[in-house]
Amino acid sequence: MSKRELGRSGIQVPVLTFGGNVFGWTVDQSASFSLLDALLDNNLNFIDTADVYSRWVDGNQGGESETIIGNWLKKTGKRDQIVLATKVGKPMGEGKVGLSPRYIKEAVEASLKRLQTDYIDLYQSHDDDADTPLAESLAAFDALIKEGKVRAIGASNYSAPRLAEALKVSKDNGLARYETLQPLYNLYDRKVYEEALEKVVTENGVGVINFYGLASGFLTGKYRTKADASKSKRGESVIERYLDDRGLKVLKGLDQVAEKHGVQPGQVALAWQIARPSITSPIVSATSLQQLNELVQAATLRLDDADIQTLNDASAWK
């Protein structure tokens, strides 16, 4: 498995990131352990989670994903074999939200405890916080790095102007900078990232670990007609968002390239992202070992220039 650097952090990661949002939500602890074992066996050792996963489930309070990962780390003793990323900032209860220095310090200790580790490889702002000056948040992150609790920091869901501003604040004040960005990006959702964010990350050497790489499953080819909405709980929302003329054109391009290589459309969709120079490691999840095996194949699929052009044309947004 080839490796890439997260920004300028010196941290090397595989070309696919595993999204831990499924742990404690659609996958119980036993199945999560099996997935984590298999990920490591296949050298997909970059795991991304967040303190808020999976607070949206009835009966959950947040921290479930981190807790399962922590239990696995304790059981296996393999902390040094994985690159671990988590996030702070989404609502976790009264007074527990945002990027104030006070809350960052509180939240990181809670994450470290749940993860049963003494350091986090990549600690990310889950959302921009307009109510806290960037310099204050970045100073708090900088302190965590100096204390050895965090190796590098990243940003998620930042606009291009705010990311550029944050990078400037870090440079002007001698503070740790965001080494990564976590934006929404896939073959269908291209415009926002390519229109402005890509220029900022490229000019500043910021790594990109994009989420929704398979557009909630649409790019696997699972949803092709309105009748396919019944295939999953999120089927209706997926079809409402993606099943239009452009979406069908994207699926046609994926089918064409997939048939050429003898693979699945979803694998092609991920390989297209991996091949884009500004993308470091797309985030993708699996709930079964079979799905995980498909991801492994996507990480090694090499598209040629003609494939890339076919997909670019099919998904053109301009």
Side-chain angles (χ1 to χ4, degrees):
M1 186 71 62
S2 59
K3 295 289 183 77
R4 295 172 175 176
E5 184 178 4
L6 287 176
R8 299 170 182 165
S9 68
I11 300 172
Q12 298 288 323
V13 297
V15 296
L16 279 180
T17 307
F18 190 83
N21 60 317
V22 295
F23 299 149
W25 175 26
T26 52
V27 185
D28 63 18
Q29 177 163 291
S30 176
S32 298
F33 279 17
S34 295
L35 285 169
L36 286 162
D37 289 338
L39 284 165
L40 215 55
D41 289 342
N42 287 285
N43 297 312
L44 292 176
N45 67 328
F46 185 24
I47 315 297
D48 175 77
T49 186
D51 55 4
V52 76
Y53 298 163
S54 50
R55 184 174 165 81
W56 55 84
V57 179
D58 287 344
N60 285 4
Q61 58 185 8
E64 288 78 16
S65 175
E66 289 184 332
T67 298
I68 286 175
I69 294 170
N71 290 341
W72 178 81
L73 290 175
K74 182 179 181 181
K75 177 186 176 185
T76 63
K78 294 181 177 179
R79 174 65 185 93
D80 62 339
Q81 295 183 40
I82 70 166
V83 178
L84 185 56
T86 192
K87 312 180 198 75
V88 57
K90 291 282 191 184
M92 283 286 285
E94 187 174 350
K96 297 181 178 182
V97 65
L99 301 173
S100 69
R102 173 201 61 79
Y103 182 55
I104 288 173
K105 292 175 184 177
E106 175 186 335
V108 75
E109 294 300 334
S111 286
L112 288 168
K113 184 176 181 179
R114 286 189 292 263
L115 291 165
Q116 301 190 55
T117 183
D118 55 5
Y119 72 98
I120 294 163
D121 294 290
L122 179 66
Y123 199 39
Q124 303 157 96
S125 302
H126 208 154
D127 271 326
D128 189 6
D129 179 3
D131 295 327
T132 303
L134 285 165
E136 293 185 11
S137 300
L138 290 163
F141 285 128
D142 186 81
L144 294 180
I145 291 175
K146 289 174 178 172
E147 292 169 18
K149 294 177 180 178
V150 171
R151 293 178 65 195
I153 59 172
S156 177
N157 300 307
Y158 271 55
S159 68
R162 283 288 282 179
L163 178 61
E165 184 182 355
L167 293 169
K168 185 176 187 302
V169 168
S170 291
K171 184 176 181 180
D172 291 348
N173 292 276
L175 299 171
R177 69 168 207 153
Y178 288 138
E179 294 294 348
T180 59
L181 173 69
Q182 192 170 136
L184 165 63
Y185 187 63
N186 56 58
L187 259 172
Y188 188 98
D189 298 299
R190 294 178 58 182
K191 182 178 179 180
V192 172
Y193 174 74
E194 292 181 16
E195 199 167 41
L197 282 165
E198 190 167 39
K199 185 174 186 291
V200 177
V201 298
T202 301
E203 290 180 348
N204 292 278
V206 173
V208 177
I209 50 176
N210 53 297
F211 62 87
Y212 286 172
L214 291 175
S216 299
F218 179 75
L219 298 177
T220 66
K222 182 177 181 178
Y223 307 97
R224 294 175 182 270
T225 69
K226 290 184 178 180
D228 292 330
S230 62
K231 288 186 175 180
S232 74
K233 292 180 179 178
R234 61 185 180 182
E236 287 190 13
S237 63
V238 173
I239 284 174
E240 183 177 341
R241 178 168 181 173
Y242 295 112
L243 193 64
D244 54 19
D245 289 344
R246 181 164 172 267
L248 290 171
K249 191 175 179 182
V250 169
L251 290 182
K252 185 177 179 181
L254 284 169
D255 288 340
Q256 181 181 330
V257 177
E259 184 177 358
K260 172 183 170 181
H261 290 274
V263 296
Q264 300 299 314
Q267 295 169 323
V268 174
L270 292 173
W272 175 84
Q273 293 165 55
I274 292 169
R276 194 170 187 91
S278 68
I279 300 295
T280 308
S281 181
I283 300 170
V284 67
S285 295
T287 57
S288 69
L289 294 178
Q290 179 183 348
Q291 290 177 355
L292 183 59
N293 288 333
E294 292 179 6
L295 298 184
V296 173
Q297 293 175 50
T300 57
L301 176 60
R302 297 291 179 264
L303 304 181
D304 60 31
D305 291 343
D307 298 329
I308 300 294
Q309 193 60 55
T310 295
L311 297 170
N312 285 347
D313 291 344
S315 60
W317 55 270
K318 290 183 180 179

